[in-house]
Amino acid sequence: MRLTTLVVLCLFIVISLPWVSSADLLENTSSVTVKAPAVSAGPEPEGAVIEITVYVTEGKGRVFVNTEPFTQIDMQGSARLAAIVATDLLGIDFNRFDYFYVIKAETPVVGGPSAGGVMTVATVAAIEGWTINGSVMMTGMILPDGSIGPVGGIPYKLEAAKLEGVKLFLVPAGQTLVIREKRETVERGPFIFVRTVKEPIDLVKYGEEMGITVKEVSDLNEAVKYYTGYAVKQLMGGNISSQTYTEISRTMADAMKKDTNRLFEQAKKYGSLTGIEDLLKVAQEEYDSGNYYSATSTMLTARIQMRQIIYSNTLIDEKAIKDEMTYIDKEINDLKEDLKNESILNLQAFQLIGTAETRLYMAENYLQQAKEAESFSQAITYLALARERLETAKIWLTPYHEGVIRSSGMVISENKLRDRANFYISQALSLETYASSIGGHQELLSMADSSIELARSMFADGLYAGAVLSAVDGIVDASVSIEVIGISQNQLNEKVEKARISAENSISRLKDISEPIIPLTDYEFARTSKDPLIKLIFYRSADQTAKVLTFMSKSQPQIMTETEKAVNNESGVPAETPVPQENPELPGFTLSYSILSIIVTLFIIAHYRRR
């Protein structure tokens, strides 16, 4: 009787509870579905079409990918990069949303990042609530700077687009003329020979034969315009000069210069320093020109060489080397403890303390390499690097201790720093994995790996400011390793110029919140460098760091971009009127309180029977 009463009561609860869908739970969810061309994974290449649905909801910067059938890691890496680049274009914090990508294909397709561009377009449209024009299709990988990168198999993809009734087919810039390989069979007597023939194809003419307009597209914003009829307009920044930055960088240069002169007097006892004197002359010229950070960097190069000369002549036995290692080890640990006790009073303090932390952990890594060295000369080299990185860590703290920076401003909580550090380390790891899977620049990938390991070490020790900055370095290195794949010198120069403008805009916006110390050091280093690749890396670093600092601020500007209806829709294909999407159901995520109630009921019955 008691059991019957209990069952009736539970069933009453089940019937009376309403069904709650994911749309009810995720009120601010929007979605966009778009089709993308691909190449089937069969013995003979054929065009195929995959369906991509992007769901965006308020969240914490998580990316979820569901593929049917399973695809390679580069597709999943493309999804994460698509979310990053989309939010970057719109000038919003990646952490504001969670991103769901549902990718369906009728047949297995060749893995590759060629759907990255259209995934990014769909992400932008989902965030903004815009409708996608179904008569437009695109192939092209997305690069971290928003460029649309080259892909293969375009003729096959164009053929698949025809079957979908596509009117406009977008391809990466420079890829309207491609080479297609096809197999030919030749019979000679009893023998059959199969050979591969390269066939040039003009995709514009090929498209015309199928009633499709083929156009090149160079970047994400251009693609968004073709797909939605909307353009995203970056709000231009103003002047980036900063008196506070000048004072800070001059204070650091003066501290470095004073100690460098002392080191020079000590090193010249052991012989000629002609090459070092030339470096110091360049440093003085940079100082006189007001490029104080560049002067400090040049002095560091000279100091490392002088330190090697001094060590080679003073550390003449194993005991002397061990004594110096012990001294550096103690200095590193003492400074590490001091940094753990520092409070991050504001974004200025964050930049100085964080950079000091990164330099300190570089010193610790070099010291470890010196201890593991297989020869005297190798040990001396790493020991000199360790000592000088230790000294630069101290120099970065000089403006902080001398009161050059303001003590007012937003106090950054340890929890917020920890969360941000964890997020950026995760992003760096994902980008590095993706870059490796598509053949990123190996040297830059090695640099990214070093930065990420440094960030993880600092995170483990609770030095979160340094972990954030080092993780951002890893993100930049991995991103640039993708950007320079197969790039020409002219394309590299164009990227450098675009990176400079983007960095200036981001630095200018940060100035409304706090002094952009680290972004301006990176910007100055890029501006004074002669190497285009170095310029690109450091302009990107200035840009990314400025954005990170902006998003860390509670008082960040709410709008960094604005959208406008494209006046001239160059596609020739009328764009549908963009309308906000209704709250959709997330496949695989529907939940009902009724189901939950049934589970509870069964549990109660089972529990009753056991009793």
Side-chain angles (χ1 to χ4, degrees), residues 85-272:
V85 176
T87 52
D88 193 47
L89 174 70
L90 295 172
I92 59 179
D93 190 357
F94 178 88
N95 281 336
R96 278 182 55 186
F97 302 104
D98 285 337
Y99 312 84
F100 300 80
Y101 294 86
V102 180
I103 302 161
K104 297 180 180 179
E106 294 297 325
T107 60
V109 296
V110 175
S114 64
V118 72
M119 291 169 77
T120 313
V121 169
T123 306
V124 170
I127 291 172
E128 291 294 329
W130 294 338
T131 297
I132 291 289
N133 190 330
S135 65
V136 179
M137 190 174 281
M138 178 175 74
T139 184
M141 67 185 291
I142 189 67
L143 300 180
D145 67 340
S147 300
I148 304 299
V151 294
I154 301 180
Y156 305 112
K157 296 173 182 177
L158 185 56
E159 292 164 0
K162 177 188 176 182
L163 300 177
E164 294 290 324
V166 168
K167 299 300 181 184
L168 175 66
F169 192 82
L170 304 176
V171 300
Q175 285 202 288
T176 49
L177 294 174
V178 297
I179 301 295
R180 176 165 66 176
E181 292 184 348
K182 67 177 183 177
R183 290 166 48 165
E184 289 186 351
T185 301
V186 179
E187 294 186 15
R188 291 180 181 174
F191 303 103
I192 298 176
F193 299 91
V194 178
R195 64 179 182 178
T196 300
V197 179
K198 292 185 177 180
E199 176 188 29
I201 295 180
D202 183 333
L203 291 175
V204 174
K205 291 182 179 179
Y206 194 43
E208 288 176 353
E209 294 172 5
M210 295 184 282
I212 300 175
T213 300
V214 176
K215 287 198 173 188
E216 293 186 355
V217 62
S218 60
D219 59 41
L220 172 62
N221 204 10
E222 191 178 353
V224 168
K225 183 178 175 182
Y226 281 125
Y227 265 99
T228 69
Y230 276 83
V232 180
K233 182 180 179 182
Q234 295 288 334
L235 299 183
M236 302 302 289
N239 184 20
I240 66 171
S241 62
S242 165
Q243 185 61 35
T244 300
Y245 166 73
T246 300
E247 292 176 10
I248 288 172
S249 57
R250 184 170 55 226
T251 299
M252 292 168 53
D254 289 341
M256 178 72 90
K257 190 176 180 181
K258 181 179 179 180
D259 196 50
T260 299
N261 291 336
R262 177 193 60 78
L263 205 62
F264 181 83
E265 292 300 318
Q266 188 177 354
K268 74 178 183 179
K269 298 176 185 177
Y270 304 108
S272 173

Side-chain angles (χ1 to χ4, degrees), residues 293-344:
Y293 180 71
S294 297
T296 302
S297 297
T298 304
M299 280 188 276
L300 173 62
T301 302
R303 285 174 63 92
I304 292 170
Q305 295 180 23
M306 289 188 287
R307 185 71 68 180
Q308 285 181 278
I309 292 171
I310 294 168
Y311 278 167
S312 296
N313 288 275
T314 58
L315 305 182
I316 56 177
D317 55 34
E318 187 176 343
K319 180 180 182 305
I321 293 177
K322 285 186 176 180
D323 286 346
E324 182 65 11
M325 287 181 175
T326 300
Y327 168 77
I328 295 174
D329 201 14
K330 182 179 183 304
E331 287 286 299
I332 288 173
N333 289 325
D334 288 347
L335 186 54
K336 190 183 292 186
E337 289 303 314
D338 291 342
L339 288 170
K340 286 180 179 179
N341 294 325
E342 289 284 4
S343 297
I344 309 295

Side-chain angles (χ1 to χ4, degrees), residues 282-426:
V282 171
Q284 184 61 49
E285 291 172 353
E286 289 169 335
Y287 183 95
D288 294 339
S289 300
N291 297 320
Y292 300 116
Y293 180 71
S294 297
T296 302
S297 297
T298 304
M299 280 188 276
L300 173 62
T301 302
R303 285 174 63 92
I304 292 170
Q305 295 180 23
M306 289 188 287
R307 185 71 68 180
Q308 285 181 278
I309 292 171
I310 294 168
Y311 278 167
S312 296
N313 288 275
T314 58
L315 305 182
I316 56 177
D317 55 34
E318 187 176 343
K319 180 180 182 305
I321 293 177
K322 285 186 176 180
D323 286 346
E324 182 65 11
M325 287 181 175
T326 300
Y327 168 77
I328 295 174
D329 201 14
K330 182 179 183 304
E331 287 286 299
I332 288 173
N333 289 325
D334 288 347
L335 186 54
K336 190 183 292 186
E337 289 303 314
D338 291 342
L339 288 170
K340 286 180 179 179
N341 294 325
E342 289 284 4
S343 297
I344 309 295
L345 298 176
N346 53 32
L347 287 177
Q348 290 185 50
F350 167 85
Q351 295 173 77
L352 294 176
I353 291 173
T355 306
E357 290 171 358
T358 62
R359 302 307 190 261
L360 186 62
Y361 275 68
M362 287 180 186
E364 189 173 54
N365 282 350
Y366 285 134
L367 180 59
Q368 186 60 37
Q369 288 176 286
K371 292 176 179 178
E372 297 171 356
E374 297 179 355
S375 66
F376 174 78
S377 61
Q378 194 178 58
I380 291 300
T381 298
Y382 284 124
L383 206 55
L385 288 166
R387 178 67 182 269
E388 288 310 314
R389 276 305 180 190
L390 170 63
E391 297 304 321
T392 56
K394 295 176 181 178
I395 285 173
W396 269 99
L397 292 172
T398 303
Y400 181 72
H401 291 146
E402 292 186 2
V404 178
I405 67 171
R406 299 195 310 267
S407 59
S408 60
M410 179 192 70
V411 177
I412 305 175
S413 71
E414 183 175 348
N415 287 340
K416 182 173 183 177
L417 272 181
R418 184 178 60 250
D419 290 345
R420 280 285 167 170
N422 186 52
F423 168 73
Y424 289 120
I425 289 171
S426 174

